[in-house]
Amino acid sequence: MTKKNDIKFLRVSYLRGPNIWTYRPVLEAWLDIGELEDYPSNLLPGFTERLTAWLPGLVEHHCGVGYRGGFLERLRDGTWAGHILEHVVLEVQNLAGMKTGFGKTRSTGEHAIYKMAFRTRDETVGRAALDVAHRLMMAAINDEPFDLPAEVVRLTDMVDRHCLGPSTAHIVDAATDRRIPSIRLTDGNLVQLGYGAAQRRIWTAETDRTSAIAEGIASDKDMTKSLLSSCGVPVPEGAIARSPEDAWDEAQDIGLPVVVKPIDANHGRGVSLNLMTEAEVKAAYTIASEEGESKSVLVERYVTGNEHRLLVVGRKVVAAARGESVWVTGDGRSNVAELCDTQINIDPRRGESEEFPLSPVKPRESEENQLQLQRQGLTPESIPSKGQKVLIQVNGNVADDVTDLVHPDVAHAAALAARIVGLDIAGIDLVCEDISRPLEEQRGAIIEVNASPGLLAHMKPASGTPRNVGKDIVDHLFGQEQTARIPVVGVTGSKGCSLITRLVGCLVNITRKEVGVANGEGLYLNARAISTRDSTGVEAAQRILINRNVETAVFESNARSILQDGLPYDRCTVGVVTDMNGIEDVAEFYVRDEDAMYNVIRSQVDVILPDGVAVLNAADERVAGLAELCDGGVIYYAADETNPILAAHRQSGERVVFARDGRIVLAAGEQETPLIALAAMKPSTVKYPENVLAAVAAAWALGVPSDLLCGGLRAFDATPKK
């Protein structure tokens, strides 16, 4: 077969908001498939076989056919390169651990030129995945070698570095399920849930309700124990030691066996358990003092039983996991470290990254493991005899779900411990023999209270039922009736939208609400200009949405900004559309007829919330026709009250805004509310009566009273702020 020429990328853009493709962010690529326009997949000998051998997961792609194997059917029957690349890049992302499923490819109407879009959770990873998918596909077409495993490893590393961690992503997904919007504030795991004044923030399992004082208390294990004990929560007896000799003296006073651990370390680092001899206690002191920052060490009574981690969110326990000891069995040939690799670390649930519920066991690197082996007369290099059982780690693997077994008294003690320390989200470590019995019956005790607890053991337990702890955290941050939203107004059209957005902002601000406006003239907070640069893009708009003071946000978009960035918000309360003009301004985007323009502008109406309102220009039949796409209500506006679309809407009892004898009128069915005369407004504003009507309709939709509408209209000056 003659080698086929490469696919050319004409443009690759990341659309961060709702767009012409979908409600969620996508990477959009413009493709020139060249001579492959004449070679659909069924005319490329061996291509389908080579591609599916590399990507067997393509069988799960339903494609437009709607069932498993649908895409493979399209491959066999013949489909074009752009469509194939769409599915390949989705599968490559799936292999790298970034699960996505949305993709679309459309012809532009020009020979061999296509637009292709696919869902990606991160722009950097998405672009890299597109590059891998492109090279893989061309290798399959031209029967050339391709090292897919190496590329997947590289992409997986990028996912780990650039995407949200699994715990944060789990919380964000739970928020999305409740239709709560999110904004990633940094390259790390700091995420805003909600908009403006209604927002909350998370950082993995910390929230903006997590007290710094509480975190400080939790990091001091002795202080934590003192507070818990004073409130009647069972804790093990213990004391602070400042030298190995001091540790041994305290151990004898407490009574053997004991536990030695850093006073200020987390996640079980530097903890040695069940110590019986002076040598063990002193060795454990050295390990613990090197792990903690303060170098102080805590010596405690050893509590018999299994270690448990209870996750407390708010005032209740939402999940619990149990730990078990880790053993290996000798074969007479392998040393302890090798046995750990062949008997423990081969478990697919173990791995280095956060997505694995269990960590690898590495006795050569763990001083705690080495101390445990030393007590058995062994080292990591020792070769146990055949059948000999060797204890590697006591109470590791806290990853077996036992949530349904927790006794109510135990749950109460754990929740009380979190409240005493002051944490809204806490990991409570306790040791007992039976989690289904009260702690007092078995001399069980709470041994630690942890801030920013890991969630993975509950999300993906090694055994038992996975728990949707992200939902519990979101429900803790937002009551069931809270939407985490502020009123958002979006205005789309080609003329006068900057004036409309500023006027809406003025009319809402007069109700004593903090208002942010982003439009083509700049960025405004309560009519004060923050920037005079074009602010119709997503980046500028997010400056409004992350502002904790903003109670209402108003944004201007146009066809170009929608095509370049998408809309700057996921959903809106009010969507205003003035016209569908300006095709010539977006012809470079292959928007060259009214139908294509309609598909762009409809994005503004598609995102209106079910309890929201579309404000549409009745004088433009194409705009008025968008009403059928709106999930919420509709207010029509027109300068002429006899406009047939407006009149019919009013006759059906719905709301309209029009001008009569030079005066603005609000009408709902037969009921009318006259406002001020247009002549009473400032000359700079009254030059644009239709835009004034659109703004009044939007403010009315937001519930601004008629008397305040009159005051705002009288005071507003349309002269652009400098």
Side-chain angles (χ1 to χ4, degrees):
M1 182 184 74
T2 304
K3 182 175 179 178
K4 301 302 178 191
N5 290 331
D6 204 354
I7 297 171
K8 294 180 181 178
F9 289 90
L10 306 179
R11 179 188 181 115
V12 179
S13 305
Y14 187 55
L15 309 183
R16 291 185 285 176
N19 47 74
I20 63 172
W21 304 95
T22 180
Y23 290 110
R24 296 190 175 186
V26 296
L27 203 67
E28 179 187 83
W30 299 1
L31 312 172
D32 181 349
I33 68 171
E35 66 174 321
L36 289 171
E37 178 73 7
D38 300 322
Y39 289 91
S41 54
N42 61 327
L43 298 183
L44 297 170
F47 166 71
T48 298
E49 292 74 19
R50 289 188 291 271
L51 185 65
T52 53
W54 276 324
L55 300 175
L58 290 174
V59 70
E60 303 296 338
H61 293 217
H62 292 199
C63 196
V65 181
Y67 48 78
R68 185 176 186 269
F71 175 63
L72 297 189
E73 185 177 304
R74 295 287 303 277
L75 275 177
R76 290 190 295 269
D77 293 343
T79 189
W80 277 262
H83 179 219
I84 300 169
L85 182 60
E86 167 203 325
H87 283 269
V88 172
V89 72
L90 290 175
E91 187 59 22
V92 165
Q93 288 186 121
N94 289 340
L95 290 174
M98 190 168 68
K99 303 297 183 183
T100 54
F102 173 84
K104 283 187 179 179
T105 304
R106 295 173 180 163
S107 170
T108 63
E110 293 194 11
H111 181 77
I113 307 297
Y114 293 81
K115 283 186 178 182
M116 182 267 285
F118 62 93
R119 176 85 171 96
T120 185
R121 294 178 180 269
D122 179 85
E123 179 181 3
T124 301
V125 177
R127 287 179 180 272
L130 179 61
D131 173 67
V132 171
H134 170 222
R135 290 186 286 112
L136 169 63
M137 182 175 152
M138 294 310 300
I141 289 174
N142 292 314
D143 194 11
E144 296 172 341
F146 191 82
D147 190 354
L148 180 60
E151 297 289 355
V152 170
V153 168
R154 184 174 66 86
L155 285 176
T156 302
D157 179 64
M158 291 187 68
V159 170
D160 291 340
R161 286 187 287 112
H162 292 280
C163 293
L164 291 174
S167 295
T168 307
H170 179 63
I171 300 170
V172 171
D173 288 344
T176 301
D177 289 342
R178 275 193 55 180
R179 299 193 174 184
I180 292 172
S182 62
I183 299 174
R184 190 174 182 180
L185 299 176
T186 67
D187 291 337
N189 288 305
L190 180 61
V191 177
Q192 174 180 314
L193 303 179
Y195 289 153
Q199 70 177 272
R200 305 306 302 269
R201 290 177 181 172
I202 61 168
W203 195 332
T204 312
E206 295 179 81
T207 77
D208 50 12
R209 287 182 179 173
T210 302
S211 162
I213 293 176
E215 286 190 325
I217 293 171
S219 67
D220 187 325
K221 293 176 173 50
D222 188 54
M223 184 187 299
T224 298
K225 282 181 55 181
S226 176
L227 289 172
L228 297 184
S229 179
S230 67
C231 294
V233 175
V235 296
E237 302 84 357
I240 296 175
R242 293 182 170 82
S243 70
E245 293 72 23
D246 193 13
W248 175 238
D249 289 342
E250 296 294 351
Q252 293 177 91
D253 290 342
I254 294 167
L256 301 171
V258 294
V259 173
V260 173
K261 59 186 177 183
I263 199 169
D264 56 0
N266 290 316
H267 305 295
R269 293 188 293 267
V271 178
S272 300
L273 306 174
N274 198 20
L275 308 175
M276 296 291 293
T277 68
E278 180 178 359
E280 290 174 354
V281 170
K282 290 183 175 180
Y285 177 91
T286 302
I287 294 171
S289 64
E290 291 175 352
E291 187 65 46
E293 291 184 10
S294 70
K295 306 304 180 184
S296 294
V297 169
L298 194 60
V299 182
E300 291 181 342
R301 169 177 66 88
Y302 175 64
V303 182
T304 59
N306 289 320
E307 185 177 342
H308 296 76
R309 165 60 67 89
L310 275 61
L311 178 65
V312 175
V313 176
R315 290 180 170 268
K316 65 180 182 179
V317 172
V318 300
R322 180 179 60 211
E324 294 180 352
S325 300
V326 180
W327 300 75
V328 294
T329 302
D331 59 10
R333 301 184 308 273
S334 307
N335 64 35
V336 171
E338 292 167 343
L339 291 171
C340 287
D341 287 336
T342 58
Q343 297 181 16
I344 298 174
N345 295 333
I346 59 170
D347 188 334
R349 298 169 300 178
R350 293 186 181 274
E352 299 285 358
S353 67
E354 290 185 32
E355 67 181 279
F356 295 96
L358 302 177
S359 300
V361 175
K362 299 180 178 181
R364 289 191 178 106
E365 300 175 14
S366 168
E367 291 182 320
E368 295 93 327
N369 290 166
Q370 291 170 24
L371 179 59
Q372 187 63 50
L373 290 171
Q374 182 182 336
R375 299 170 67 196
Q376 302 166 78
L378 301 170
T379 71
E381 309 307 324
S382 298
I383 300 176
S385 59
K386 186 173 183 179
Q388 179 183 355
K389 291 184 69 66
V390 178
L391 179 61
I392 305 296
Q393 186 172 309
V394 179
N395 279 332
N397 300 329
V398 183
D400 295 323
D401 179 74
V402 291
T403 305
D404 295 333
L405 302 179
V406 178
H407 192 279
D409 288 354
V410 176
H412 173 76
L416 177 60
R419 291 201 300 277
I420 291 168
V421 172
L423 292 170
D424 65 325
I425 300 176
I428 309 298
D429 290 342
L430 61 84
V431 177
C432 64
E433 294 179 348
D434 185 353
I435 196 72
S436 66
R437 294 166 50 210
L439 296 178
E440 292 79 1
E441 290 185 5
Q442 49 188 321
R443 292 201 74 197
I446 289 177
I447 59 173
E448 283 189 16
V449 176
N450 296 283
S452 189
L455 304 181
L456 201 63
H458 309 298
M459 296 158 42
K460 296 180 178 180
S463 66
T465 305
R467 304 292 169 172
N468 189 358
V469 294
K471 178 181 183 301
D472 295 307
I473 292 173
V474 171
D475 290 346
H476 160 65
L477 293 173
F478 304 99
Q480 289 300 320
E481 302 302 318
Q482 290 180 275
T483 65
R485 296 181 180 277
I486 58 173
V488 171
V489 180
V491 182
T492 297
S494 66
K495 297 179 181 178
C497 292
S498 292
L499 183 148
I500 295 171
T501 53
R502 284 184 51 218
L503 180 51
V504 171
C506 171
L507 297 176
V508 174
N509 184 226
I510 207 169
T511 67
R512 297 187 176 181
K513 287 187 177 180
E514 300 280 327
V515 182
V517 176
N519 62 25
E521 296 175 353
L523 203 65
Y524 303 85
L525 291 175
N526 295 331
R528 180 169 62 90
I530 305 301
S531 169
T532 55
R533 293 188 299 178
D534 184 347
S535 299
T536 52
V538 171
E539 184 175 345
Q542 285 195 347
R543 294 176 61 185
I544 299 292
L545 294 175
I546 67 174
N547 189 320
R548 286 183 178 272
N549 292 324
V550 172
E551 297 170 286
T552 300
V554 188
F555 301 107
E556 175 186 356
S557 299
N558 53 46
R560 175 173 285 274
S561 67
I562 293 172
L563 288 165
Q564 285 181 328
D565 280 343
L567 291 166
Y569 41 82
D570 70 321
R571 304 298 292 268
C572 65
T573 311
V574 179
V576 181
V577 179
T578 62
D579 63 85
M580 294 190 189
N581 301 329
I583 292 178
E584 62 281 0
D585 293 332
V586 290
E588 66 186 274
F589 293 87
Y590 301 99
V591 176
R592 294 169 182 172
D593 57 42
E594 292 185 354
D595 287 344
M597 191 67 165
Y598 177 91
N599 285 329
V600 176
I601 301 300
R602 67 167 290 175
S603 301
Q604 180 64 79
V605 176
D606 286 335
V607 300
I608 296 173
L609 290 161
D611 59 353
V613 176
V615 173
L616 304 175
N617 182 2
D620 187 324
E621 290 188 7
R622 294 175 302 162
V623 172
L626 293 171
E628 64 183 15
L629 303 176
C630 183
D631 291 336
V634 174
I635 298 177
Y636 282 122
Y637 71 91
D640 182 3
E641 69 174 302
T642 65
N643 176 286
I645 295 174
L646 184 143
H649 193 61
R650 179 183 180 184
Q651 190 172 6
S652 65
E654 301 295 333
R655 292 189 287 177
V656 298
V657 178
F658 56 87
R660 178 193 293 154
D661 299 328
R663 183 178 294 273
I664 300 171
V665 179
L666 313 180
E670 296 298 320
Q671 183 178 356
E672 293 187 357
T673 303
L675 300 181
I676 68 171
L678 291 169
M681 299 172 62
K682 296 187 182 301
S684 60
T685 304
V686 77
K687 290 190 299 184
Y688 312 101
E690 289 83 4
N691 293 333
V692 172
L693 296 176
V696 168
W700 188 23
L702 292 174
V704 179
S706 57
D707 57 335
L708 294 183
L709 287 175
C710 292
L713 290 169
R714 190 174 283 110
F716 180 74
D717 185 352
T719 304
K721 301 292 183 182
K722 300 296 185 183

